[in-house]
Amino acid sequence: MSEPDLDEKLKEDEAAAPESGQDFASPEHESLDEENRLKPEFVRSVKEALDEEDFDRVYELVEPLHPADIADLFELVDEDERPVLARSIRDLMGVEVIAELNDWVRELLVGALPAEVVAGIAEQLDTDDAVAMLEDLDEADQQAVLAEMEPEDRAAIESALSYPEETAGRLMSRDYVAVPESMTVGDLIDYLREHRELPTEFWEVFIVDALHHPVGTCALSWILRCPRNIPLYDVMSRDQTLIPADMDQEEVALRFQKYALISAAVVDPSGRLIGQITVDDIVHIIQEEASEDILRLSGAGDGDINEPILMTVRARLTWLCVNLGTAIIASSVVGLFQDAIARFALLAVLMPIVSGMGGNAGTQTLAVVVRAIATNQLTDTNTVRMILREFRIALTNGAALGLLIGGGTALLFGNPLLGAVIGAAMVINNLVAGLAGILVPVTLERFKVDPAVSSAVFVTTATDVMGFFSFLGLAVLTGLA
Amino acid sequence: MSEPDLDEKLKEDEAAAPESGQDFASPEHESLDEENRLKPEFVRSVKEALDEEDFDRVYELVEPLHPADIADLFELVDEDERPVLARSIRDLMGVEVIAELNDWVRELLVGALPAEVVAGIAEQLDTDDAVAMLEDLDEADQQAVLAEMEPEDRAAIESALSYPEETAGRLMSRDYVAVPESMTVGDLIDYLREHRELPTEFWEVFIVDALHHPVGTCALSWILRCPRNIPLYDVMSRDQTLIPADMDQEEVALRFQKYALISAAVVDPSGRLIGQITVDDIVHIIQEEASEDILRLSGAGDGDINEPILMTVRARLTWLCVNLGTAIIASSVVGLFQDAIARFALLAVLMPIVSGMGGNAGTQTLAVVVRAIATNQLTDTNTVRMILREFRIALTNGAALGLLIGGGTALLFGNPLLGAVIGAAMVINNLVAGLAGILVPVTLERFKVDPAVSSAVFVTTATDVMGFFSFLGLAVLTGLA
């Protein structure tokens, strides 16, 4: 038992050491606020220095920043300042900065550079980052850059580009450590020490058989803790999650999350190891995919605030036009009851309440269902149970709201029939909302349509149409108007 | 250069080896569909076996599953089947399964167990998982369980519980490897080999000074690749991200994402190392926090499909009642124009188009802005630029939609004035939507109110009220009705 010794040693050191006045914040803390964002004052000084063309001052300000913060800085300065900023901090523009840049910001900067410079950057980047940089260039520019690259790097990028976007093949890194199962722990350590060209950061070693098929995985902590003479075969875990190269990145992210993976082997259709995916890339994807669902549900397109404004306008306007169509359908339902409204205009005053509340209830259900589908929590197995669950919720909420608004209307306007009609319409429209909120996304999912993209249109059409129809229809039916 | 040798060796092996017929899917593949979810047939067989009380069959079916899939299975069977399932697979209910269970499902199962059994489970779990299990119990049950635990484990959990929920202190693991800076690479490897009680999986080693303050971090891959005699002082990275124990988990997740961390040291206010957070816990948080934003924007509460139905009803109904208030405000605006509507009922037919389209446009902006705030992309520095951006988008989209609907209305109803009125109202309401969509969340954020929770109410109130007011008001003003 020498663990206590170490503790002992630490304690002795502690007793002897003078009080440390060291500051433990990250080195760039002066430019960051308490939420780790660049301070407005700091960004303002950079912008002022850029304005005054005091490029030494710009360099001096930016130099202490972490590459991720330099990348953020590019987003925060104005679009026309970005190329100037890049020029004034040229030798700080390392691969880490390029890799961290927002796609649109990077495209702007990269677009301004000659092909051979871009090729030079791409050669230094990890394959996945190089691909991210090149995949959005147009075909001709992409070819020009690839032509300038070393054959080996070019081959890696071309191979990555041969997989569809957002698949494991695009995402994977071709730098990984794979060794044959015959090695011992000692052999592996020697091999790692001798081979300087291996990646410097990796978390697991893949053990492959003679056909380069992965047969197991060794966490580095296990290797460090085993005697040298133990064969890797006895240390490795055989329980692996292999990622086919054509798997969608959202699916990959779900596997990482479900099985708490740090890295995973990517295999080709014949089962050969061709790359690895590490969790740091997955973190971005989980963030992106979850954000995508919010943005798609609300029809906000890509939602990237750095996207060129015309693309944003186009994406949002397309969605608004689709919604205009549904609004016209709903409005034509109201049109059917125009005479009733002319006779009893109070109907027009109250009808938006019924349709609006249905819309709100539908959106609630939709948000829950879309997330449950995206995270694999809602599957064929529990769909029926969830439909019943939403039905019960809708009935309860509809009844509560119906009583509330029905009672209120009856009292306020001294018209019990009007209260009964709006109360009943509220119950009906809540049921429509709850059922549409789950049936629409579940059905779309079954037809392999992304439920986040198109569900909202159908659900709000249903709640608008049924809201107006049930309220105005009941009003006419009961002889109210 | 012996790297080619290894390749050579692999190639030789390959030539000699027979074609492997090994299946590379995970061992439980028969029970999983292509998206890695449990197949409905499989779940059905488990439910049938539970129904027939054939517990051996249940065990046989569940045994090959990964713990994460066993946890999923509990979600997929009915609520009353869960305790029976737990009993029939008692010795498969390892800590991994407990840790992976949905909070609500776990609460149900744990609630049914005596305190000493729960204490036994908690002792085996990592502190963070044990805390997750115990934090939702009521005070008395929690105390009963803690009283049954070993003093050391109890102390760890009590210390975790002393931090507020959703902070680094709750989340961190107290199992980590920290060594003094005086060690060499060889010392460290020996230390790790000798001390069996150290955690088995870790990705980085923290180097601490005499006061137990972290001074650097060593990735295991660097240690493996260095000669034994090199001091850790020369290998470690001094560029660390230290997490204060009271930092909010969302903030922690953003740091991990920004700096691509695998693990990070958690420090107390005096800067002493007290725990570590690893990226696998962060992956869940990113997913949760992003989902939370969707669910909050739509007022769906927690959105957990396993939540007891009464809690779901309460959460959603609260939100619907708030919205009922805003709907009544909007409706009272219509009430102001009741006479105009009685004279010209077509206004009632068209008015939902103006308010609805404003609502859609506002939701788009809101979704983008809420995500940009949550991911630290929208800061004080670029708020003004983003407001201008949304203004331009709103103006463009409003003009386009105004022309479309105005022109259409003028032609369809042969009434150019009506077309002009609805077109102008559309432009106005789009501007209201765009500005409210950004100003509301930005203002709430400034007052430290979560913009995802309350923005939607304000934005839809604004677009409904202004939609009705601008359209009906212009109609009256121009003498249309």
Side-chain angles (χ1 to χ4, degrees), chain B residues 445-468:
Chain B
E445 162 79 3
R446 204 152 290 192
F447 288 105
K448 307 273 175 210
V449 179
D450 181 348
V453 177
S454 2
S455 295
V457 176
F458 293 107
V459 174
T460 51
T461 307
T463 54
D464 278 357
V465 166
M466 282 308 297
F468 294 138

Side-chain angles (χ1 to χ4, degrees), chain A residues 166-177:
Chain A
E166 311 213 325
T167 58
R170 282 278 173 111
L171 201 63
M172 71 186 179
S173 154
R174 278 140 190 90
D175 291 327
Y176 56 87
V177 179

Side-chain angles (χ1 to χ4, degrees), chain B residues 380-395:
Chain B
D380 289 354
T381 315
N382 56 356
T383 299
V384 173
R385 191 168 76 220
M386 286 304 141
I387 293 173
L388 288 175
R389 185 174 194 269
E390 289 300 332
F391 181 81
R392 288 168 58 198
I393 295 173
L395 197 61

Side-chain angles (χ1 to χ4, degrees), chain A residues 2-3 6 9-10 13-14 20 24 28 34-37 40 43 66 68-69 72 75-78 82 180 182 189 191-193 195-203 210 213-214 220-222 224-226 242 251 255 257-259 262 272 279 283 286-287 290-291 294 298-300 303 305 307 312-313 316-317 319-320 323-324 331 338 345 348-349 351 357 360 363-365 367-368 371 376-377 380-382 385 389-390 397 404, chain B residues 2-3 6 9-10 13-14 24 28 34-37 40 43 66 68-69 72 75-78 82 180 182 189 191-193 195-203 210-211 213-214 220-222 224-226 242 251 255 257-259 262 272 279 283 286-287 290-291 294 298-300 303 305 307 312-313 316-317 319-320 323-324 331 338 345 348-349 351 357 360 363-365 367-368 371 376-377 380-382 385 389-390 397 404:
Chain A
S2 54
E3 160 73 345
L6 182 70
K9 184 173 176 327
L10 284 171
D13 287 357
E14 184 168 346
S20 160
F24 285 91
E28 63 275 24
E34 77 284 5
E35 290 190 32
N36 207 37
R37 302 172 300 201
V43 181
H66 185 283
D69 289 309
D72 282 355
E75 282 192 59
L76 293 174
V77 301
D78 295 336
R82 289 171 192 163
S182 54
I189 294 180
Y191 169 72
L192 293 174
R193 286 203 183 127
H195 291 273
R196 310 308 310 177
E197 78 288 354
L198 290 173
T200 45
E201 287 209 3
F202 53 94
W203 314 102
H213 291 165
L220 297 189
S221 55
W222 309 339
L224 273 169
R225 306 196 55 185
C226 281
L242 301 180
E251 205 51 50
R255 303 272 159 118
Q257 200 180 346
K258 180 170 177 183
Y259 300 121
I262 292 292
R272 284 174 60 96
V279 67
V283 164
I286 292 176
Q287 177 76 270
S291 287
I294 304 189
S298 57
I305 61 172
E307 186 182 51
T312 308
V313 166
R316 295 203 201 165
L317 195 53
W319 176 258
L320 291 173
N323 276 277
L324 184 58
S331 135
Q338 214 165 326
V349 177
M351 70 180 191
M357 293 306 292
N360 288 325
T363 306
Q364 290 182 330
T365 305
V368 173
R371 285 314 293 163
N376 276 351
Q377 278 194 290
D380 289 353
T381 314
N382 56 357
R385 191 167 77 220
R389 185 174 194 270
E390 289 301 331
N397 286 349
L404 200 62
Chain B
S2 53
E3 160 73 344
L6 182 71
K9 185 173 177 326
L10 284 170
D13 287 356
E14 184 168 346
F24 284 91
E28 63 276 22
E34 79 283 6
E35 289 189 33
N36 208 37
R37 302 173 299 201
V43 181
H66 186 282
D69 289 308
D72 282 354
E75 282 192 60
L76 293 175
V77 301
D78 295 337
R82 288 171 192 163
S182 53
I189 294 180
Y191 170 72
L192 292 174
R193 286 201 184 130
H195 292 272
R196 310 309 310 177
E197 76 290 353
L198 290 173
T200 44
E201 288 210 0
F202 53 96
W203 314 103
L211 293 167
H213 290 166
L220 298 189
S221 56
W222 308 339
L224 273 169
R225 305 196 56 186
C226 280
L242 301 180
E251 207 49 52
R255 303 273 159 117
Q257 200 181 346
K258 181 168 176 184
Y259 299 121
I262 292 293
R272 285 174 59 96
V279 69
V283 164
I286 293 175
Q287 176 78 270
S291 287
I294 303 188
S298 57
I305 60 171
E307 188 180 50
T312 308
V313 166
R316 294 204 202 164
L317 194 54
W319 176 260
L320 290 174
N323 276 278
L324 184 58
S331 136
Q338 214 165 326
V349 176
M351 70 181 192
M357 293 306 291
N360 288 325
T363 306
Q364 289 181 331
T365 305
V368 172
R371 285 314 292 162
N376 276 352
Q377 277 195 291
D380 289 354
T381 315
N382 56 356
R385 191 168 76 220
R389 185 174 194 269
E390 289 300 332
N397 286 349
L404 200 63

Side-chain angles (χ1 to χ4, degrees), chain A residues 221-285:
Chain A
S221 55
W222 309 339
I223 295 167
L224 273 169
R225 306 196 55 185
C226 281
R228 286 183 62 92
N229 59 343
I230 306 275
L232 290 181
Y233 209 84
D234 291 338
V235 189
M236 72 187 191
S237 156
R238 282 175 179 74
D239 189 15
Q240 319 174 71
T241 302
L242 301 180
I243 308 284
D246 58 359
M247 184 184 271
D248 186 82
Q249 64 175 17
E250 186 164 12
E251 205 51 50
V252 177
L254 285 174
R255 303 272 159 118
F256 266 75
Q257 200 180 346
K258 180 170 177 183
Y259 300 121
L261 305 177
I262 292 292
S263 55
V266 180
V267 292
D268 69 12
S270 72
R272 284 174 60 96
L273 176 65
I274 53 171
Q276 74 165 335
I277 294 178
T278 49
V279 67
D280 50 313
D281 294 318
I282 293 302
V283 164
H284 286 276
I285 288 166

Side-chain angles (χ1 to χ4, degrees), chain A residues 71-187:
Chain A
D72 282 355
L73 179 62
F74 274 95
E75 282 192 59
L76 293 174
V77 301
D78 295 336
E79 212 170 300
D80 53 348
E81 293 169 331
R82 289 171 192 163
V84 193
L85 175 60
R87 273 195 300 278
S88 43
I89 56 165
R90 191 164 306 171
D91 59 300
L92 300 176
M93 294 294 291
V95 290
E96 291 98 337
V97 177
I98 306 271
E100 291 288 333
L101 282 176
N102 172 279
D103 285 354
W104 293 107
V105 175
R106 185 170 50 213
E107 200 173 310
L108 174 90
L109 291 179
V110 167
L113 296 173
E116 69 268 23
V117 178
V118 181
I121 298 171
E123 282 169 4
Q124 287 172 67
L125 288 169
D126 287 340
T127 315
D128 52 331
D129 293 324
V131 168
M133 180 172 81
L134 298 180
E135 66 187 356
D136 296 323
L137 294 182
D138 61 43
E139 188 65 22
D141 287 348
Q142 201 180 77
Q143 288 308 323
V145 173
L146 285 171
E148 295 286 341
M149 291 181 70
E150 296 292 327
E152 200 182 325
D153 295 317
R154 185 172 64 217
I157 288 175
E158 283 175 341
S159 134
L161 288 172
S162 72
Y163 293 100
E165 270 190 64
E166 311 213 325
T167 58
R170 282 278 173 111
L171 201 63
M172 71 186 179
S173 154
R174 278 140 190 90
D175 291 327
Y176 56 87
V177 179
V179 296
E181 44 193 336
S182 54
M183 273 192 174
T184 64
V185 167
D187 293 342

Side-chain angles (χ1 to χ4, degrees), chain A residues 30-33 37-51 57-58 61-62 65 69-78 81-82 85, chain B residues 376-377 379-383 385:
Chain A
E30 280 172 25
S31 47
L32 296 176
D33 69 10
R37 302 172 300 201
L38 290 167
K39 283 186 192 158
E41 305 86 272
F42 174 81
V43 181
R44 213 174 302 127
S45 355
V46 174
K47 286 166 70 100
E48 276 166 18
L50 284 170
D51 228 36
R57 174 88 187 119
V58 174
L61 282 165
V62 176
L65 295 186
D69 289 309
I70 300 184
D72 282 355
L73 179 62
F74 274 95
E75 282 192 59
L76 293 174
V77 301
D78 295 336
E81 293 169 331
R82 289 171 192 163
L85 175 60
Chain B
N376 276 352
Q377 277 195 291
T379 73
D380 289 354
T381 315
N382 56 356
T383 299
R385 191 168 76 220

